[in-house]
Amino acid sequence: MFRLGIRRAATSASSLSRLQKPLWGSHLSTVRSFGTTNGSDSSNPVALQMINYALGHARSQKSEESYAHALLVLEQGLANLRQADSGNEDGVGMVLLAMSTLLSEREQSYDAIEKLLMVLKLDRSSLGMRVAAYEGVIGLILEEGKDVIASIHANRCLQLFPSRPENEGNAIEDLYIQANAIKGLVELVKGNIVSAELHFRMCQFNDLLEDKWYMGNVALSLGKVSLGAICALGQLATHSGNFTDAEEILTKALTKAEEHFGSSHPNVGVVLICIAIMFGHKAKMEQSSSILIQEGLYRRAIDLLKAPSLDLGVVHMPAARRDMWALARGGYAEVLCVQQNRKGEGERMKSWAEYAWMMRYSRRLSLADALEITEPSKVAIIDARVHRVI
């Protein structure tokens, strides 16, 4: 069953995505998604109703028209909110966050970032709203490969807290934890392991409970965070040699990605890379062959991630998704190089992938190491939230 599903995902560009209920189907989860406290006076029921309708409509159809209609609803609602109550900036911020989420799902990162920066310019928005906006901005900027700018925003987010807010109430403490987690992610992506560990340690002094403050939006949305966690677990099982569990977990990730984002979204391509790498490891460990499956997965991933032509020089291509392009083409090259009649094509693709991989200056391992099961210190994990290799 798994292999049939994988072959379908790898070869069919028009496979139908499953429909699901909106991710924020309940009042509680909607509140958590857009930067407000559960049950507090800062919640805006009109904004919540608007957001639920817009997200539900966009994601139920997953078409350009449904997303355009959802954005129009939110734009009209935003104008009404501003006219009705100029002091309710959290309501305005919630709608802007929802708009940025929809824009990012349609791969309009520039516009999504613009909406988030508008949230940060609100004079009387809550602390939770600002942390939410910073997290969204940082997630999107990390996807774009602009690590220096991401680090600047992460520092600004931490500066919202003049000191560690111990004994000031769980809500403020949780936001402080979130700010440190954001900074830790930035440091991890940059390869600053010691610094990342320091910030992640700050996240251990309090539990992050389901009924408390906002825990992610836009590039770090609840849907994407959940997908990233499942992918990471599947990769861990792969590197541990537990291929049965890896297949099951990564199948779940693939289904989740297709259901939430649609079958032609780049997030599906990221999961397919994880699955292709898993099949490669499994074939080597079991001394079997899965060349056709791997080739189909890599080709489909390259297509979904809109990888540039091999004729385009690496220097001239954008930094966004470069990790994913390098991994997909590097893995595909391995598959081609073992086929005598396609070795030339494979070598050309391998050269392109290795050059693209080394364009990241903080690399601690080669592309070959990233595609192999090696010692624990050289294990590469794809972070599906930001499309980067850690």
Side-chain angles (χ1 to χ4, degrees), residues 2 40 65 75 126 131 146 148 155-156 181 204 326 347 360 376 386:
F2 175 82
S40 78
E65 293 76 15
E75 284 173 3
S126 66
V131 172
K146 299 174 182 176
V148 173
N155 290 336
R156 288 175 180 169
Q204 297 175 6
E347 290 294 344
R360 295 267 188 230
V386 294

Side-chain angles (χ1 to χ4, degrees), residues 272-347:
L272 293 177
I273 293 174
C274 297
I275 296 171
I277 291 173
M278 181 273 296
F279 268 112
H281 291 338
K282 182 180 180 183
K284 290 172 184 175
M285 295 288 285
E286 297 179 355
Q287 296 184 337
S288 58
S289 176
S290 58
I291 287 178
L292 292 179
I293 295 175
Q294 289 180 70
E295 180 174 351
L297 289 166
Y298 281 128
R299 288 180 63 180
R300 177 73 176 138
I302 290 167
D303 180 52
L304 291 178
L305 289 162
K306 299 178 176 64
S309 166
L310 291 175
D311 296 325
L312 178 66
V314 174
V315 175
H316 302 292
M317 74 180 188
R321 298 181 188 160
R322 195 177 288 169
D323 283 9
M324 299 300 97
W325 296 337
L327 271 183
R329 282 205 162 129
Y332 191 12
E334 285 189 351
V335 172
L336 294 177
C337 285
V338 299
Q339 304 174 57
Q340 194 60 39
N341 61 331
R342 304 179 73 185
K343 192 170 182 179
E345 180 187 356
E347 290 294 344

Side-chain angles (χ1 to χ4, degrees), residues 62-110:
K62 298 181 179 65
S63 65
E64 293 295 334
E65 293 76 15
S66 67
Y67 272 87
H69 175 71
L71 285 167
L72 182 60
V73 168
L74 292 175
E75 284 173 3
Q76 292 174 341
L78 186 63
N80 292 337
L81 278 174
R82 283 173 166 160
Q83 289 177 358
D85 184 1
S86 59
N88 184 17
E89 291 200 338
D90 270 8
V92 170
M94 289 164 64
V95 175
L96 286 170
L97 285 172
M99 292 175 73
S100 67
T101 298
L102 291 176
L103 287 165
S104 71
E105 288 185 9
R106 301 316 291 171
E107 301 177 68
Q108 298 175 38
S109 296
Y110 179 83

